Amino acid sequence: MSITRRNLLIGAALAASPTAHAQQNTSALMPVTAHRNSFKSGGKSIAVETFHSPGASPRPAILMLHGADGLGGNAQYRQGARAVAAAGFQVHLVHYLDRTGERRASFSTLFQNFMPWMSTVQDALAFAAAHPGADGSRIGIVGISLGAALGLAVASTDPRVKALVNYFGPLPQGAVATTSRLPPTLVLHGSADPIVPVANAYAVEALLRQQNVPHEVKVYPGQGHGFRGAAEEDATRRSLAFLQRHLAGSHAATGSGPLPVDG
């Protein structure tokens, strides 16, 4: 599965994605604990931040895959991880750029690095499945922008992924096998996205229809590469409801708080 040159425009857009300004969460503090862990992938040590709230175990596990801007200056990814954890999930925020030694995804090396990042996400699935308190049979991915592209590529061939939330990610042509089958998928995109055009959301939708996969697609009028205001709140509600429905059933509590909206 090679990444073709047809993806150059998408790659350039991802690499140019600006670092989000962290929004301050003024809501009540969520009873979520965070731990820093690591696992090996391709001979490299990959950092992962694990978030969980008190409650019964085992519980569904979520890999959160950040955007091309990385984790250096974007507090929203950690806020999003806490929001999902507060809803009854064990969340692993994966520093997949550690595999290639980068703080941000670089356009000049994006395509040669995509496959190593995919391999790291697959290793992260094994890490999550074996983590104490996790139910290895119920693992989902929440991907943002570049992270969503990686989520699509990995979930298309790895049956361990039982649910996928795609925040304004591109469809990585050449990395999603035509014979693959995606898990239940939620696609969230802005109609005015200048980084990853909304046509990508419709392309993912067409693939999901073709595969007869349970899916939801929500395109927010006027929203760009990131959601604001009512769109942000609606995306958070949809994401948590989707994960609860496909991974947790009646076992997860209702959570609140912002999920990542840039990347």
Side-chain angles (χ1 to χ4, degrees), residues 17-262:
S17 175
T19 300
H21 295 289
Q23 296 179 347
Q24 296 299 319
N25 183 5
T26 58
S27 61
L29 293 176
M30 294 179 286
V32 172
T33 301
H35 300 283
R36 192 176 181 89
N37 304 290
S38 66
F39 61 92
K40 291 290 186 179
S41 181
K44 301 293 181 65
S45 180
I46 311 298
V48 54
E49 299 172 49
T50 299
F51 300 80
H52 61 87
S53 59
S57 294
R59 61 183 62 194
I62 302 293
L63 296 187
M64 182 169 285
L65 306 178
H66 60 77
D69 54 346
L71 291 167
N74 193 342
Q76 279 190 294
Y77 293 122
R78 293 178 178 89
Q79 291 175 2
R82 286 183 174 276
V84 178
F89 300 90
Q90 186 182 93
V91 183
H92 304 282
L93 181 58
V94 182
H95 295 224
Y96 61 85
L97 293 181
D98 287 353
R99 175 71 179 262
T100 51
E102 296 172 290
R103 292 177 61 86
R104 294 175 57 93
S106 169
F107 170 63
S108 63
T109 57
L110 184 69
F111 298 103
Q112 71 185 55
N113 288 338
F114 195 86
M115 295 301 287
W117 292 333
M118 280 183 61
S119 176
T120 296
V121 173
Q122 291 171 326
D123 291 335
L125 289 171
F127 169 85
H131 199 274
D135 182 346
S137 68
R138 295 185 292 165
I139 303 178
I141 292 178
V142 174
I144 301 91
S145 194
L146 174 59
L150 289 167
L152 281 164
V154 171
S156 68
T157 58
D158 198 317
R160 290 176 294 182
V161 183
K162 305 301 185 185
L164 174 65
V165 177
N166 175 334
Y167 270 80
F168 38 85
L171 177 61
Q173 299 291 334
V176 177
T178 56
T179 58
S180 66
R181 182 174 175 82
L182 285 159
T185 300
L186 170 65
V187 178
L188 304 165
H189 217 108
S191 69
D193 191 331
I195 305 298
V196 179
V198 71
N200 285 273
Y202 298 127
V204 175
E205 180 181 27
L207 178 62
L208 293 166
R209 287 180 182 273
Q210 177 184 338
Q211 296 180 355
N212 196 27
V213 171
H215 64 278
E216 299 175 28
V217 178
K218 176 62 177 178
V219 174
Y220 295 97
Q223 295 288 320
H225 198 63
F227 305 142
R228 295 291 183 268
E232 175 187 349
E233 295 174 3
D234 183 77
T236 295
R237 179 186 60 79
R238 288 177 184 270
S239 297
L240 292 176
F242 185 85
L243 294 172
Q244 289 166 353
R245 181 162 61 255
H246 290 283
L247 293 178
S250 61
H251 296 288
T254 300
S256 60
L259 294 185
V261 295
D262 289 281

